[in-house]
Amino acid sequence: MVEKRTPIPVMEAIQKVMQFAKSGKKEIVALEEAYGRYLAEDLRADHDVPPFDRSPYDGFAIRAADSAAASLDHPVEFEVIETIGAGQVAEKEVAPFQAVRIMTGAQIPNGCDAVVMFEVANEYERNGKTYMSIKRPFRPGDNISFQGEDTKKGEMLVPKGTFINPGVQALLATFGYANVHVAKKPKVGIFATGSELLDVSEPLVPGKIRNSNAYMIQAQVYRIGALPVYFGKLMDDADRCFAAIENVLDEVDLLITTGGVSVGDYDYLPVIYERLGAEVLFNKVAMRPGSVTTVAQKEGKLLFGLSGNPSACYVGFELFVRPVIRTMLYSAKPYLYKTTATLLADFPKPNPFTRFVRSYVHAKEGRLYVTPVGMDKSNIVTSLAKANAFMVLPGGTRGFSKGDAVEIWLLENEEGSEQ
Amino acid sequence: MVEKRTPIPVMEAIQKVMQFAKSGKKEIVALEEAYGRYLAEDLRADHDVPPFDRSPYDGFAIRAADSAAASLDHPVEFEVIETIGAGQVAEKEVAPFQAVRIMTGAQIPNGCDAVVMFEVANEYERNGKTYMSIKRPFRPGDNISFQGEDTKKGEMLVPKGTFINPGVQALLATFGYANVHVAKKPKVGIFATGSELLDVSEPLVPGKIRNSNAYMIQAQVYRIGALPVYFGKLMDDADRCFAAIENVLDEVDLLITTGGVSVGDYDYLPVIYERLGAEVLFNKVAMRPGSVTTVAQKEGKLLFGLSGNPSACYVGFELFVRPVIRTMLYSAKPYLYKTTATLLADFPKPNPFTRFVRSYVHAKEGRLYVTPVGMDKSNIVTSLAKANAFMVLPGGTRGFSKGDAVEIWLLENEEGSEQ
C-alpha cells in the first residue's frame, strides 16, 4: 500500500533543480537603499582615483628641486604664498622657493611636485609674510597621491551578483551611482501544511504543535536576499490545497510548501503536483534529514516540497532553494561556502545516506573546528539556533571520531561557493 | 602653530569609549518582523519539546510487549483499529494485539509504547478489517520521541543580545512568541564635513571628490543593527557646524562626523567639541589608518569624530562605534570576532603604530589564510569592497613575511568577541 520511492544522490538532486535556475529581474534603487542588495550590473569606475594629483597630508606643496640643498645645518626657506583646503584650487603661480599651504585631499598646485608635512616644517612670520623652512631635501613625487594610482577610469571594480556591503556602497558613491541597478528580490511563496499546526499565538492543545517552519523559512528567505510571501496554513484536504496552490502560482517566482510530501495518508503534495501537471524532478533524496524532499517544476517554475520536520525543512531550503535564489540574484557562487574543519566530538552514528549535521564552527589559532549542536534528532529545533554550519558526512561512511577532518558548509557566509 | 597631540594606544582608546557604552532600549515587534533584530530578553521554552510522546515516523503504534514472540518464521499479527494523523488524538482504547496507524508527529495513543515503521510492517485486509504483521520484536520506547527529550519547559534556550537568525526565529515560533522583545535600534546621527565633498549625483569638478563616507557609514550602521540618520554635509564653517550639531544632538543616541578632526586649518571639530562643553576622551590614537580619530562625550552621549579619509573612517567605525552599538543591542560580545590566520603575502612595511590592514580571509582545508587587499594606501576605497577582515599588526613590529601567523578581526561575523 505504501508507495516505494527510489532515492537519488544529493548532488544529482541539486543539479536537477539547478537546470531550472535562471537570472532574475533588475530594478533601480536609490543609493541610500542599496545596502544589502545584490548588484545587477558590474560596478565600474567613472573616473580616475584619485581624480587629480592630491595631497595625502596637511602640509606645504613645494617644487622638490628647490629643496635639494636643504640639510640640518642649512635649512632652505620658502615663502608661503597661499593656503588651499580640500576642494579648493590654488590661484597663484608658484615661483622658485615659494610654497602653498595645503590641506589633506587638496589638489597639488601647478608646478609643485612634493608635499612637506607640517611636522617636518618650521613655520614663522617675518615682515608680514609667512615663511617655512625645511632641513632635508624632498624628491619629486614625495607625499603625493597621483591621479589614477588607485583606480583607472573604466576599470571593473566589483562584478554583478556581489552583495552590496559598506565597502561596495562607498565605491558606488565614489563613482556617482546615485541610482543603482540591483537584482529585484525574487518573490518566494510559502505555504505550511498540516492540521497539527497551531498559530504561534494559540495555546498548546493535545496532539498539536505550533507552526514554526513558516517563520523559519521566511527568515531563511530574507537571509538569502529574497522576499517571502506567506500564504498561511493549508489544511489536510487535497482539494483545498490544490485550489490554494494553483491560485497563487502566478504571483510568485517560486513556491515552497512545508510538510505533506511523505508517504503518510495525509500527504497530499504528490497528488497536487500531478493535478497541476507539474513534473516531479525527484521525491526522495539519499540524505538525512530531509529524504522526503520533493521538487517539481511547472513551465520552468519550481515548486519545493520541503519536509514538515523543522530540521529537514531547514536543510532542504539551504541545499535546494538557496542556490536557485542566489542565481536569480546574479551570483556566480550560489552555493553554501564549503571548507573542512577538525571535528571536536565523536560522531559514532553510521551514515547510510549523506548526513547534514547542524553544527557550530569556530576558529582558533588559524584553524577551524566543528562541533555538532544538540542531539541531532531530526525533530528538534533548538539546535538550529546555534548552528552556523552543516557538517557533511558522506553516505556509505561509518562514524567519525574526534580529530577527524570533515567537510563543512557555512550557513552565514555571504561569499558562497561555485560548488 | 600646529597643535601637538599625544597618541594613546588603541586598546586604551577603546576602553575609554566603552566606559560610556550602556544597554539600549527595548521594543516589541511581531514575530514576522523579528528576523535580523537582537533579542532584548532571554528566549525560554514555554513548554516541553516534544510537548507529548510522539511518533517520529509514519507507521503503527503498538504495545511492545505484544511483539515479543515475533520472528522471521513466526510473524505476529495486529488488528489496525484506528488511523491518526498529526494533530489528531486516538479515540479508541488499544487492547492486546491491536495497533493504531499513526502519522509522523502524531501523539502516541494511550497504552502504546513503540512505533513500527511502515517499511517493516506487512499490511493487509481480511473480512473487512485491516491487519498488519511484523517479523521482529520491538522494545518499549522504540521509535518514540519522548515528551521533553529535546527541551524542558522553562529552559533558557538563547540569551538576550543574540542576533535573530532563522533558527532563533523557529524557536520563537515554537515557544509562542507572537510578539518579541527586541533591542530598539539605536539612532545614529551622521554628518559629513568638508567643502571638497560633492553629492553623488554631481559631476566631478577640479579639486573636489564625491561624498562616499556618508553612504559607507550608513551601510556600516545598518550592518551592525542600528538606524542611520544622515543629516547631510557640513560646510567648512565653524559657526554653522556648531549650530547644526547642537541642533540634532537630542535626536540621536550617538553622533558620527566624518572629517574635520585633523590639525588642518579647516578642521573645526575640536573647536566645536569645546563650544559644546563636551569632554574629549582622546584626539590621537597610535594606529594606522585613523590616527586622528577623536571621541568626545557630553552628558554620557558619545560624539565620534572619524577621519575624513574613507579607510580611516571605516576602521574608526568598526573599532570604536561598533562595540558601543552592540552593547546597546545587549550583546555580551560587542567586538569584532578575533582569530589568527596565515599571511599569504609579504608585508614589508614596518609598523610604528598598530596597523589595521584591509584584508581578505578565506578557509582552505581547515585553515584560515589572509591576503591584504589593494595597496593599502589610506586614501583608497576600492580595497574596502573586497575586505572581509582587518589584519592587525601590532605597533613596534617590523614587516611580516608570507607564512607568518597574524591576528585577524573578521568584519562580517555576527558572533563577535568579548575582546
Side-chain angles (χ1 to χ4, degrees):
Chain A
M1 289 169 94
V2 173
E3 175 197 356
K4 290 285 174 220
R5 296 177 177 180
T6 309
I8 67 170
V10 178
M11 294 307 167
E12 191 182 324
I14 293 173
Q15 281 165 16
K16 277 180 184 280
V17 173
M18 289 301 283
Q19 288 174 357
F20 295 92
K22 47 183 187 286
S23 294
K25 299 194 183 78
K26 301 176 185 186
E27 65 182 349
I28 294 173
V29 299
L31 179 55
E32 292 83 347
E33 286 148 29
Y35 171 72
R37 304 296 294 270
Y38 293 80
L39 289 176
E41 294 184 355
D42 294 340
L43 192 169
R44 290 179 185 277
D46 79 330
H47 62 75
D48 287 340
V49 177
F52 44 81
D53 294 350
R54 48 179 275 183
S55 176
Y57 302 113
D58 297 327
F60 300 97
I62 61 167
R63 298 151 29 107
D66 297 341
S67 72
S71 69
L72 279 177
D73 297 334
H74 297 92
V76 170
E77 183 182 86
F78 292 79
E79 183 192 356
V80 180
I81 59 167
E82 189 176 0
T83 296
I84 53 170
Q88 299 176 346
V89 179
E91 288 170 1
K92 296 181 181 164
E93 200 66 27
V94 180
F97 300 99
Q98 290 188 334
V100 173
R101 204 165 201 274
I102 190 168
M103 301 300 128
T104 302
Q107 184 165 350
I108 304 294
N110 285 334
C112 294
D113 58 2
V115 169
V116 176
M117 292 163 73
F118 278 160
E119 292 87 325
V120 298
N122 180 28
E123 192 176 12
Y124 48 89
E125 301 209 357
R126 195 174 64 225
N127 302 332
K129 287 186 172 179
T130 304
Y131 296 87
M132 70 94 181
S133 68
I134 53 177
K135 294 181 174 176
R136 70 168 181 86
F138 282 74
R139 283 168 306 180
D142 276 357
N143 296 328
I144 289 183
S145 296
F146 290 102
Q147 177 173 348
E149 75 173 15
D150 180 15
T151 301
K152 297 268 180 256
K153 180 175 176 174
E155 200 178 313
M156 198 272 273
L157 302 172
V158 185
K160 72 176 179 180
T162 300
F163 178 77
I164 300 177
N165 67 17
V168 175
Q169 188 88 333
L171 286 189
L172 288 166
T174 300
F175 297 109
Y177 287 80
N179 296 297
V180 187
H181 287 80
V182 299
K184 199 171 157 86
K185 293 185 181 187
K187 280 176 77 174
V188 180
I190 301 167
F191 277 114
T193 76
S195 298
E196 79 277 23
L197 298 180
L198 296 170
D199 278 334
V200 171
S201 54
E202 289 183 85
L204 282 185
V205 294
K208 303 219 173 191
I209 58 169
R210 293 205 188 95
N211 173 13
S212 63
N213 285 341
Y215 295 93
M216 182 180 74
I217 289 278
Q218 287 177 73
Q220 285 177 290
V221 169
Y222 280 125
R223 177 164 71 183
I224 223 65
L227 200 64
V229 186
Y230 180 44
F231 293 118
K233 288 185 297 179
L234 293 174
M235 289 301 105
D236 285 341
D237 173 307
D239 287 337
R240 286 162 66 188
C241 288
F242 172 74
I245 288 176
E246 191 185 36
N247 194 37
V248 304
L249 212 47
D250 284 344
E251 293 175 34
V252 296
D253 295 301
L254 51 96
L255 185 74
I256 295 173
T257 51
T258 65
V261 285
S262 191
V263 292
D265 294 354
Y266 302 104
D267 290 326
Y268 292 123
L269 265 299
V271 174
I272 289 168
Y273 293 140
E274 200 177 325
R275 284 175 63 176
L276 282 172
E279 174 201 7
V280 173
L281 305 181
F282 53 82
N283 60 15
K284 186 116 183 160
V285 186
M287 61 187 265
R288 289 276 184 277
S291 64
V292 297
T293 306
T294 299
V295 180
Q297 67 88 13
K298 188 186 178 187
E299 292 158 21
K301 188 168 287 185
L302 287 162
L303 297 99
F304 294 89
L306 304 183
S307 168
N309 164 317
S311 295
C313 183
Y314 188 95
V315 169
F317 181 93
E318 297 296 331
L319 262 60
F320 301 110
V321 186
R322 181 193 207 278
V324 169
I325 292 178
R326 278 292 162 92
T327 301
M328 297 184 80
L329 297 173
Y330 301 97
S331 176
K333 296 178 170 180
Y335 303 98
L336 291 171
Y337 189 96
K338 295 177 179 55
T339 183
T340 54
T342 302
L343 181 54
L344 281 185
D346 288 332
F347 194 88
K349 279 194 221 175
N351 307 290
F353 297 112
T354 304
R355 193 187 292 277
F356 295 88
V357 186
R358 296 176 299 288
S359 300
Y360 171 71
V361 170
H362 74 281
K364 193 176 175 190
E365 289 168 10
R367 300 191 71 94
L368 295 177
Y369 295 92
V370 60
T371 318
V373 284
M375 301 181 299
D376 199 48
K377 283 217 159 196
S378 60
N379 56 349
I380 61 175
V381 294
T382 51
S383 61
L384 288 178
K386 293 169 190 161
N388 60 10
F390 295 140
M391 177 168 79
V392 184
L393 306 178
T397 54
R398 289 176 169 275
F400 286 80
S401 305
K402 189 174 169 175
D404 285 351
V406 292
E407 186 170 342
I408 55 170
W409 295 8
L410 300 184
L411 292 166
E412 301 198 330
N413 180 292
E414 198 45 68
E415 189 177 352
S417 163
E418 294 172 25
Q419 172 98 325
Chain B
M1 289 170 94
V2 174
E3 175 197 357
K4 291 285 174 220
R5 295 178 177 179
T6 309
I8 66 169
V10 179
M11 294 308 168
E12 191 182 323
I14 293 173
Q15 281 165 17
K16 276 179 184 280
V17 173
M18 289 301 283
Q19 286 173 358
F20 296 93
K22 49 184 187 286
S23 294
K25 299 194 182 78
K26 301 175 184 186
E27 65 182 349
I28 295 174
V29 298
L31 179 55
E32 291 83 348
E33 287 147 30
Y35 171 71
R37 303 295 295 269
Y38 294 79
L39 288 177
E41 293 184 356
D42 295 340
L43 193 169
R44 289 179 185 278
D46 78 331
H47 61 75
D48 287 340
V49 178
F52 43 81
D53 294 350
R54 49 179 274 183
S55 176
Y57 301 114
D58 296 327
F60 300 96
I62 61 168
R63 299 153 25 108
D66 297 342
S67 72
S71 69
L72 280 177
D73 298 333
H74 296 93
V76 170
E77 183 181 86
F78 291 80
E79 182 191 357
V80 181
I81 59 168
E82 188 177 3
T83 295
I84 53 171
Q88 298 176 348
V89 179
E91 288 170 1
K92 297 180 182 165
E93 200 67 29
V94 180
F97 300 99
Q98 289 188 334
V100 173
R101 205 165 199 274
I102 188 168
M103 301 301 127
T104 303
Q107 183 165 349
I108 303 294
N110 284 335
C112 294
D113 57 4
V115 170
V116 177
M117 292 162 73
F118 277 162
E119 291 87 325
V120 297
N122 179 30
E123 192 177 11
Y124 48 87
E125 301 209 357
R126 193 173 65 225
N127 303 331
K129 287 185 173 179
T130 303
Y131 296 88
M132 71 92 183
S133 68
I134 54 177
K135 294 180 174 177
R136 71 170 181 84
F138 283 73
R139 283 168 307 180
D142 277 356
N143 297 328
I144 289 181
S145 295
F146 290 102
Q147 178 174 348
E149 75 174 13
D150 179 16
T151 301
K152 296 268 180 256
K153 181 175 176 173
E155 201 178 312
M156 198 272 274
L157 303 172
V158 185
K160 72 176 180 181
T162 299
F163 178 78
I164 299 177
N165 68 17
V168 175
Q169 189 87 333
L171 285 190
L172 288 167
T174 300
F175 297 109
Y177 286 81
N179 296 296
V180 187
H181 287 80
V182 299
K184 198 173 159 84
K185 294 186 181 187
K187 279 175 77 173
V188 180
I190 300 168
F191 277 113
T193 76
S195 298
E196 78 278 21
L197 299 180
L198 297 170
D199 278 334
V200 171
S201 54
E202 289 183 85
L204 282 185
V205 294
K208 303 219 173 189
I209 57 169
R210 293 205 188 94
N211 174 14
S212 62
N213 284 342
Y215 296 94
M216 180 180 75
I217 290 278
Q218 286 177 73
Q220 286 177 289
V221 169
Y222 280 126
R223 176 165 71 184
I224 223 65
L227 199 65
V229 186
Y230 179 46
F231 293 118
K233 288 185 298 180
L234 292 174
M235 289 302 105
D236 284 342
D237 175 306
D239 288 338
R240 287 162 66 189
C241 289
F242 172 75
I245 288 176
E246 191 185 37
N247 194 37
V248 304
L249 212 47
D250 284 344
E251 294 175 34
V252 296
D253 295 301
L254 51 97
L255 185 73
I256 295 173
T257 51
T258 66
V261 285
S262 190
V263 293
D265 294 354
Y266 302 104
D267 289 326
Y268 292 124
L269 265 298
V271 175
I272 289 167
Y273 293 141
E274 199 178 325
R275 284 175 61 178
L276 281 172
E279 174 200 7
V280 173
L281 305 182
F282 53 83
N283 58 16
K284 186 115 183 160
V285 186
M287 62 187 263
R288 289 275 185 278
S291 64
V292 298
T293 305
T294 300
V295 181
Q297 67 89 13
K298 186 184 179 188
E299 292 159 21
K301 187 170 288 185
L302 287 162
L303 297 98
F304 294 88
L306 304 183
S307 169
N309 164 317
S311 295
C313 183
Y314 188 95
V315 170
F317 181 93
E318 296 296 331
L319 261 60
F320 301 110
V321 186
R322 181 193 207 278
V324 169
I325 293 178
R326 277 293 162 90
T327 301
M328 296 182 80
L329 297 173
Y330 302 98
S331 175
K333 297 177 170 181
Y335 304 99
L336 291 170
Y337 189 96
K338 294 177 179 56
T339 182
T340 55
T342 303
L343 181 54
L344 282 186
D346 286 333
F347 194 88
K349 279 194 220 176
N351 307 289
F353 297 111
T354 304
R355 193 187 292 277
F356 295 86
V357 187
R358 296 175 300 286
S359 300
Y360 171 71
V361 171
H362 73 281
K364 193 175 176 191
E365 288 167 11
R367 300 190 71 94
L368 295 176
Y369 296 92
V370 60
T371 318
V373 284
M375 301 180 300
D376 199 48
K377 284 218 158 195
S378 59
N379 55 349
I380 60 175
V381 294
T382 51
S383 63
L384 288 177
K386 293 168 190 162
N388 60 10
F390 295 139
M391 176 168 79
V392 184
L393 306 178
T397 53
R398 290 176 168 276
F400 285 80
S401 305
K402 189 174 169 175
D404 284 351
V406 291
E407 186 170 340
I408 55 170
W409 295 7
L410 301 183
L411 291 166
E412 301 198 330
N413 179 292
E414 197 46 66
E415 188 177 354
S417 162
E418 294 174 24
Q419 174 96 328

